[in-house]
Amino acid sequence: MSTIPEESKVQVIKEKKRYPYYIENPVEENRVERFLEAFAAVLKYTDYKPLLDSYCNSSAKCNRCAVTCPVFQVTHDPRDIPCYRTNLLLDTYKRYFTIGGWFKSRFTNTFELTEEIIDEMLDGFYRCTACRRCTRECPMGVDHGMITRLGRYILSLMGIVPKALQVSTREQLEGETHNTSQIPKAALLNTLEFLSEELKDMLGIEVEFPIDKMEREYVFFCAVSDYLLEPETLMGNAAVLYASGDWDKWTIGTCNYDGINYGLFYSDWHLENIIKQLIAEVDRLKGKNILIGECGHASRSAHDFVPVFSNGKPYPVFNFMEYTLQCIREGRIKLNRDIVTEKVTYHDPCNIARSGWIVDQPREILKSFVPDFVEMTPNGQDNYCCGGGGGLVSVDEIHDFRMNIAGKVKAEQIRRTGAEIVISPCANCKKQLKELVEHYDLPCQVMGIHDLILKAIEIPGAKSAAERKEEAAMFAM
Amino acid sequence: MEAWIDFAKGPLFAVTFLIMILGLARLLIIQLYNLIISKGGRLKNAPWKSILKDAATWFFPVKHLIKGTVIFSAFSFLFHIGVIIVPVFLADHIVLWENFLGANLPAIGQGLADFLTLFTIGCILVLLFMRIFVRRQRAMSKPMDYFLLVMVLFPFLSGYLASHPGSNPFTWESMMLVHLLSAEFLFVLIPFTKLAHIVLYFFDRISGLHWQLRPGAGDRVAKALFDEEARV
């Protein structure tokens, strides 16, 4: 017989349902009032009001968004229809912040914001990966990704935000390390030293990573987790910079070396301040351009928001693949076509592909040295999210949701290609795809585009790609 | 009945049409104001090229239509062709435009007008049918979504019956009155319901511009709520 009183059981179940992710200080009281207070402040000081006015009067509820959403495609739950989720916020706006809504509420039993609706929002807004695939197919042009983000922003102002995101951004903005993975400067320097040694072993070249060099052409930021988890991507980046002859034109800053910006997913305040921190580092180093490593959301946040939050002329922002492609086109780096014999496919990270910014570049790079390249279907701007977008990949407690629901369509998409290597130039996508490969037992490995370039690059004076391949094969035996 | 028709054709038409125009103008001004004045210089940094390119694809959206909900999407698109062309370019309506606006628009032939009217009625019925019977769509629908479709159906159906006495079981006068009143009711509804997308659609399609956030706004929101620096 159970020793837990019935009342407590109910409470436990209710708590579990209320917050599907960990929250630092779960809000339990006056949530409706607090939500409306936060919403009012957002409307007063930001520019979202006309957007909401417009969307309220044009949302067609045609359901095209439903069929494009990888989450809905798996659950077929009406609550996962992007338009349904968007309308939770739009209905709240209409009821409490428009004259029409007020007028209607005087005469009819109209929409009321309740605790249950707040539960639905805090769950629904984090069941969306903010991939914005639905936005592309909305005939009315409703940006459901933007509304999801706004909903998350309002929730965050009342303290409802996944702990994983909050702790990371706090460390990035107020912590000693100023990065989301809490990597201290000493550890960064050690890692770079380690990467130099690895490059020496692998390529036979002596390189010392440029640290805090002034007035360089490029100041480099990657997803800081790459320093811990993706050394081959970073070595690939370094190999390209070395081979292209630009080794003395870039630098890594030690005051801020994290390109991650979770503000893009849930908060205007965090987004702006993290961007300003990034700009401050380039200012300090008197750099000329911002070069972002393999990370979709870091690239998008810098590319789209450095111009928004810059005082004066903004620094140009480049994704590393743009740089690499330029080097290939100019003949400054050479990639050996005989090295990669596996079937390779490419996953488009939503944050750089959905807008059409980085779609053709990686394909041109890959096709220049991968003989057996196969596309996913659909791909490019229409590609499916990995299932960990919008910051969800960092929220470990929703792992089951990411695997069984949000990432299922992607896993099937990868399986259909029959590829042995999945290229994903994004730290978040890489983590999610690696977990998917394991979860669905897919016969392939996931890596960054520069990991593959590292295998095939030919550098004058260094070991040849063929020689390296042979060494790697011997080592594997 | 004649007097009612004259009233509906005359002053009532003028008033309701004016309500529609002023209502839409209000929405247009608010949206333009917010884009130009509030966002100001930030608009020059916006990715105009990709936003406009994407918006342009929706004016002949074959590429989009084939990607999902093909039947519903195709009928929605075709429905809009009839709903724009017939009310504006029908020969009988041209007279109204000339009387009230002084505009001299070209008229479409009666055969084409009849075809487009029947086709639009068919499209409305298909859209209604799908809204009722497709589960995911029904789950999203509110009474207003049905109501507006039916309200658009009325002027088309009554207009067709009025101009085809052979198919009309009622008197010409009664049908014409229904036609006029339902169309005028629509005029009033347009600026206050989702039919306002006549104007707002163009702003929705470029709503990507709203990613040009207002600098400092996050700080002000935080200060207003917490009376101190933002919580991290």
Side-chain angles (χ1 to χ4, degrees):
Chain A
M1 207 173 130
S2 168
T3 53
I4 305 171
E6 286 301 312
E7 205 180 308
S8 305
K9 269 189 193 171
V10 171
Q11 207 178 348
V12 168
I13 293 165
K14 215 173 161 187
E15 289 304 310
K16 200 176 168 190
K17 190 184 165 217
R18 177 161 282 187
Y19 293 113
Y21 36 81
Y22 298 134
I23 293 175
E24 275 202 323
N25 299 303
V27 186
E28 302 298 346
E29 287 175 356
N30 303 326
R31 296 192 310 167
V32 171
E33 292 78 5
R34 292 175 71 172
F35 186 92
L36 292 174
E37 194 190 353
F39 204 166
V42 167
L43 292 173
K44 187 172 178 186
Y45 294 107
T46 66
D47 291 341
Y48 291 111
K49 200 173 187 313
L51 178 81
L52 295 172
D53 277 332
S54 181
Y55 284 175
C56 278
N57 283 316
S58 53
S59 171
K61 305 189 193 79
C62 67
N63 274 277
R64 282 181 62 81
C65 54
V67 296
T68 61
C69 174
V71 173
F72 179 80
Q73 282 180 19
V74 174
T75 65
H76 293 285
D77 184 340
R79 287 175 310 161
D80 286 326
I81 298 173
C83 206
Y84 177 87
R85 193 169 46 237
T86 292
N87 271 281
L88 292 175
L89 200 67
L90 293 184
D91 285 344
T92 307
Y93 171 72
K94 255 192 293 192
R95 164 65 184 83
Y96 296 96
F97 300 102
T98 65
I99 295 169
W102 175 84
F103 196 71
K104 209 171 153 190
S105 73
R106 301 297 101 182
F107 294 97
T108 60
N109 185 17
T110 183
F111 172 90
E112 292 288 335
L113 184 65
T114 59
E115 290 284 333
E116 286 71 30
I117 291 173
I118 293 199
D119 281 341
E120 225 178 312
M121 285 199 228
L122 66 89
D123 187 23
F125 289 139
Y126 284 95
R127 283 174 73 85
C128 168
T129 64
C131 76
R132 297 170 75 227
R133 192 167 193 269
C134 51
T135 299
R136 259 181 76 70
E137 289 309 318
C138 175
M140 304 308 296
V142 174
D143 191 337
H144 297 291
M146 197 187 298
I147 297 295
T148 288
R149 183 179 176 280
L150 176 59
R152 289 179 178 189
Y153 180 30
I154 296 165
L155 287 170
S156 78
L157 291 167
M158 51 190 282
I160 299 176
V161 56
K163 188 178 173 182
L165 301 183
Q166 193 170 19
V167 168
S168 299
T169 49
R170 180 185 298 133
E171 179 61 26
Q172 195 173 15
L173 287 170
E174 291 187 346
E176 282 180 18
T177 64
H178 281 301
N179 65 74
T180 49
S181 296
Q182 299 187 41
I183 301 176
K185 183 179 167 182
L188 171 79
L189 298 178
N190 277 340
T191 304
L192 294 176
E193 207 178 309
F194 165 76
L195 292 178
S196 293
E197 284 164 15
E198 284 291 299
L199 281 168
K200 192 181 170 191
D201 286 349
M202 186 186 285
L203 300 170
I205 54 173
E206 294 269 4
V207 291
E208 196 181 321
F209 279 81
I211 296 156
D212 283 338
K213 302 290 181 197
M214 303 298 284
E215 298 183 23
R216 292 284 165 103
E217 199 70 30
Y218 301 106
V219 180
F220 178 77
F221 298 88
C222 59
V224 77
S225 53
D226 280 3
Y227 289 112
L228 296 173
L229 304 171
E230 304 293 343
E232 302 229 327
T233 304
L234 295 172
M235 279 155 51
N237 294 152
V240 169
L241 283 158
Y242 183 85
S244 67
D246 284 345
W247 193 255
D248 58 353
K249 289 186 182 166
W250 74 296
T251 188
I252 296 168
T254 55
C255 287
N256 178 14
Y257 35 93
D258 191 1
I260 286 177
N261 191 336
Y262 288 138
L264 180 69
F265 302 138
Y266 80 93
S267 159
D268 285 7
W269 186 86
H270 291 84
L271 175 67
E272 178 171 354
N273 284 287
I274 294 168
I275 289 291
K276 282 181 173 167
Q277 197 167 270
L278 190 109
I279 294 170
E281 180 68 343
V282 187
D283 284 343
R284 181 182 75 84
L285 295 166
K286 295 187 170 56
K288 291 176 188 148
N289 302 290
I290 295 171
L291 184 62
I292 306 286
E294 289 194 12
C295 185
H297 92 273
S299 301
R300 179 180 160 211
S301 54
H303 182 264
D304 290 4
F305 294 100
V306 163
V308 174
F309 298 124
S310 287
N311 289 323
K313 202 175 171 218
Y315 293 110
V317 176
F318 298 97
N319 176 281
F320 210 103
M321 288 186 283
E322 292 182 290
Y323 171 78
T324 301
L325 178 61
Q326 193 191 338
C327 293
I328 292 174
R329 283 179 178 168
E330 290 170 359
R332 291 198 283 147
I333 61 169
K334 196 170 169 263
L335 302 174
N336 190 329
R337 276 187 73 84
D338 301 325
I339 300 300
V340 181
T341 50
E342 296 94 337
K343 184 185 265 192
V344 176
T345 191
Y346 178 77
H347 162 72
D348 289 274
C350 303
N351 280 307
I352 52 176
R354 200 69 71 207
S355 65
W357 174 31
I358 307 279
V359 174
D360 298 330
Q361 300 90 328
R363 288 171 170 79
E364 196 176 329
I365 295 171
L366 286 169
K367 285 173 185 171
S368 75
F369 74 105
V370 176
D372 195 1
F373 175 74
V374 60
E375 286 282 13
M376 291 188 197
T377 309
N379 58 58
Q381 285 182 273
D382 292 329
N383 195 28
Y384 280 111
C385 175
C386 62
L392 301 196
V393 75
S394 303
V395 187
D396 285 336
E397 57 272 26
I398 57 166
H399 178 266
D400 286 352
F401 169 76
R402 285 193 281 112
M403 294 299 109
N404 298 319
I405 296 176
K408 193 176 178 198
V409 173
K410 174 54 68 180
E412 285 164 5
Q413 210 188 2
I414 292 172
R415 197 193 296 278
R416 279 199 303 274
T417 63
E420 295 156 278
I421 295 176
V422 181
I423 295 296
S424 170
C426 170
N428 284 1
C429 299
K430 258 186 263 186
K431 180 173 183 280
Q432 165 76 359
L433 292 178
K434 282 176 182 175
E435 289 176 17
L436 279 181
V437 163
E438 200 182 323
H439 185 81
Y440 287 95
D441 201 16
L442 300 174
C444 57
Q445 55 175 321
V446 178
M447 61 174 72
I449 196 166
H450 287 87
D451 303 40
L452 207 59
I453 288 173
L454 182 65
K455 292 175 193 288
I457 195 163
E458 297 287 9
I459 303 174
K463 289 181 196 169
S464 72
E467 215 176 325
R468 297 199 307 269
K469 190 178 178 182
E470 209 171 294
E471 273 180 15
M474 277 172 65
F475 186 72
M477 282 164 66
Chain B
M1 189 68 88
E2 284 291 331
W4 279 105
I5 291 176
D6 286 343
F7 174 69
K9 266 186 179 173
L12 194 60
F13 177 84
V15 169
T16 54
F17 194 74
L18 194 65
I19 289 173
M20 179 182 76
I21 294 296
L22 290 177
L24 290 178
R26 172 185 159 268
L27 294 173
L28 183 73
I29 290 164
I30 289 172
Q31 289 293 325
L32 277 177
Y33 174 85
N34 277 294
L35 269 183
I36 297 167
I37 308 292
S38 311
K39 297 223 177 268
R42 277 173 288 149
L43 286 178
K44 73 173 188 294
N45 294 323
W48 281 98
K49 200 176 156 192
S50 68
I51 288 172
L52 292 176
K53 193 176 153 197
D54 183 56
T57 63
W58 283 95
F59 288 97
F60 189 67
V62 178
K63 200 176 83 177
H64 291 288
L65 296 187
I66 56 172
K67 282 182 187 165
T69 62
V70 180
I71 298 172
F72 185 85
S73 305
F75 275 100
S76 298
F77 180 65
L78 295 169
F79 158 74
H80 281 87
I81 295 175
V83 122
I84 293 167
I85 293 179
V86 176
V88 179
F89 298 105
L90 186 77
D92 293 340
H93 293 174
I94 297 290
V95 182
L96 281 173
W97 307 135
E98 212 166 333
N99 287 348
F100 284 94
L101 304 174
N104 195 7
L105 298 174
I108 54 171
Q110 193 57 39
L112 179 61
D114 285 347
F115 168 76
L116 282 175
T117 305
L118 288 174
F119 187 75
T120 306
I121 291 170
C123 286
I124 294 171
L125 294 176
V126 171
L127 295 179
L128 268 175
F129 182 86
M130 293 192 74
R131 201 169 271 286
I132 295 167
F133 292 103
V134 176
R135 183 174 164 262
R136 60 168 189 272
Q137 206 159 350
R138 190 174 59 238
M140 285 296 304
S141 300
K142 291 181 179 171
M144 191 57 121
D145 297 312
Y146 295 100
F147 174 71
L148 290 177
L149 264 179
V150 173
M151 284 318 301
V152 177
L153 178 67
F154 262 99
F156 278 85
L157 192 59
S158 55
Y160 183 82
L161 292 177
S163 60
H164 293 80
S167 320
N168 186 4
F170 308 100
T171 62
W172 178 87
E173 286 82 2
S174 57
M175 202 42 65
M176 181 48 69
L177 193 61
V178 169
H179 179 65
L180 288 165
L181 292 178
S182 60
E184 285 156 2
F185 186 49
L186 261 190
F187 286 164
V188 177
L189 286 177
I190 283 171
F192 305 108
T193 62
K194 71 175 185 182
L195 298 175
H197 72 263
I198 291 173
V199 163
L200 295 176
Y201 174 74
F202 300 96
F203 291 95
D204 284 354
R205 282 255 62 98
I206 56 168
S207 60
L209 294 172
H210 286 275
W211 284 105
Q212 302 298 308
L213 305 176
R214 185 189 291 178
D219 245 348
R220 287 190 282 277
V221 169
K223 278 174 189 157
L225 287 173
F226 311 126
D227 202 23
E228 56 189 44
E229 287 302 308
R231 288 182 306 178
V232 178

